[in-house]
Amino acid sequence: SYYTKEDLASPLDSILMEQEQGYIHGPSEENGTFTLTKISEIINKPDSVRARHILLSFQGAGNGQSQSTRAPQRAQQLADSLLTVLKADSTQFGALAIQYSDDPGSGAKGGALGWFSPGQMVPAFNDFCFYNETGKIGIAFSQFGFHIIHIQEQEGTNKALKLVKIARVIEASDATRDSI
């Protein structure tokens, strides 16, 4: 996961946000554990994204709410085929969304979703949009089916850190237990 300053507890938020990639914090005591935290990657995460998508649902998707009779394998094959076409010529996105998308709201608008903030979409969709660059076209899988996503614009930047943590529970050794 990537963490912004708002995601981290104090005082770790102010300590880590001022450091460079590779910095190791700790060991420190945190909730009965010794913890080492390393910054493995630093990115700039946008505040909001404007994207469009083509939803290819399948039978049983969306907690059984999907009206599609398409088999999951067929949905994936179609998603892969459309992605190949769109990577070659993204100007076809709107027409293909109108023709193929199982999302009635955005499908009729050429797949347009407008602007949204982090957390407004399902996790896989959200992660694709906020951790890739403007212009990227790719596939994300969610409980609703396969989403072919085109990131159109991104605004704002927040420093985000990918952290690696090692934690070990603080407990008495055998020698300490034996002496008591």
Side-chain angles (χ1 to χ4, degrees), residues 79-91:
D80 290 340
S81 296
L82 291 175
L83 180 62
T84 301
V85 169
L86 292 169
K87 282 190 170 185
D89 182 11
S90 65
T91 62

Side-chain angles (χ1 to χ4, degrees), residues 23-174:
Y23 172 79
I24 298 174
H25 176 74
S28 59
E29 192 274 327
E30 185 179 302
N31 299 326
T33 61
F34 283 125
T35 305
L36 281 173
T37 305
K38 179 180 179 180
I39 300 174
S40 66
E41 189 177 347
I42 300 173
I43 64 167
N44 285 317
K45 179 180 164 186
D47 294 331
S48 57
V49 171
R50 186 171 66 90
R52 55 187 177 174
H53 82 134
I54 299 170
L55 172 62
L56 299 171
S57 192
F58 52 85
Q59 190 172 14
N63 301 327
Q65 302 297 319
S66 173
Q67 302 299 316
S68 178
T69 57
R70 190 183 294 128
Q73 297 83 0
R74 178 66 188 120
Q76 184 173 12
Q77 289 170 347
L78 182 56
D80 290 340
S81 296
L82 291 175
L83 180 62
T84 301
V85 169
L86 292 169
K87 282 190 170 185
D89 182 11
S90 65
T91 62
Q92 296 184 48
F93 201 102
L96 292 174
I98 291 169
Q99 182 178 355
Y100 289 102
S101 186
D102 293 323
D103 180 349
S106 70
K109 298 184 286 185
L113 296 168
W115 289 96
F116 54 92
S117 301
Q120 285 187 278
M121 302 295 181
V122 293
F125 194 103
N126 186 77
D127 290 350
F128 182 88
C129 292
F130 286 91
Y131 296 114
N132 284 294
E133 300 292 321
T134 298
K136 173 90 172 168
I137 299 175
I139 296 176
F141 176 76
S142 78
Q143 68 266 33
F144 300 107
F146 295 90
H147 303 265
I148 302 170
I149 305 168
H150 178 211
I151 302 170
Q152 296 177 290
E153 285 184 76
Q154 296 175 323
E155 283 191 352
T157 58
N158 286 317
K159 185 176 182 180
L161 310 174
K162 188 172 198 177
L163 303 177
V164 177
K165 278 187 163 185
I166 299 174
R168 181 160 183 151
V169 175
I170 301 170
E171 56 187 4
S173 69
D174 290 339

